[in-house]
Amino acid sequence: MAYMCNYMISIPNAGQQANGTIHDRRTKLKVKAFDLFKSRAKQQEGEVRYFVTAGNQLLAFETEGYKRHRQLLILQMISRYCVYLGLMEAQIHSSYPI
């Protein structure tokens, strides 16, 4: 687990860094990351989803426990996770990138 400001990142398997969870300790919001090429997860009702493109990678990030949190908080959590993974060229999209 890695701590970044108020965020904690947990990654279950060392080889599967795209399947981690970002935790905001203050608001208790979680944002789960998953690789869209390896997962077919459907968006949960009431949750918010963002997409990240970086080179040939396509990641999705979905909130867990969303209660009208500020969009900026979610975007900061995603950007910190991308920095942690070394995806400096990452671009965050609010809809599925075509």
Side-chain angles (χ1 to χ4, degrees), residues 2-49:
Y3 292 91
M4 302 188 86
C5 297
N6 290 330
Y7 313 126
M8 180 180 72
I9 297 174
S10 60
I11 299 173
N13 299 325
Q16 302 246 348
Q17 292 186 343
N19 294 327
T21 304
I22 314 151
H23 307 262
D24 180 46
R25 299 184 315 196
R26 187 175 46 82
T27 65
K28 307 299 185 224
L29 177 67
K30 295 179 185 177
V31 177
K32 293 190 172 219
F34 51 94
D35 187 336
L36 281 179
F37 293 125
K38 297 177 183 175
S39 174
R40 298 213 179 247
K42 298 205 186 263
Q43 185 171 352
Q44 300 297 317
E45 187 175 330
E47 300 297 337
V48 176
R49 184 178 277 190

Side-chain angles (χ1 to χ4, degrees), residues 52-70:
V52 168
T53 54
N56 63 352
Q57 287 190 301
L58 176 59
L59 303 175
F61 291 83
E62 184 172 286
T63 60
E64 183 178 292
Y66 179 74
K67 293 181 175 59
R68 303 209 180 264
H69 293 87
R70 291 186 358 241

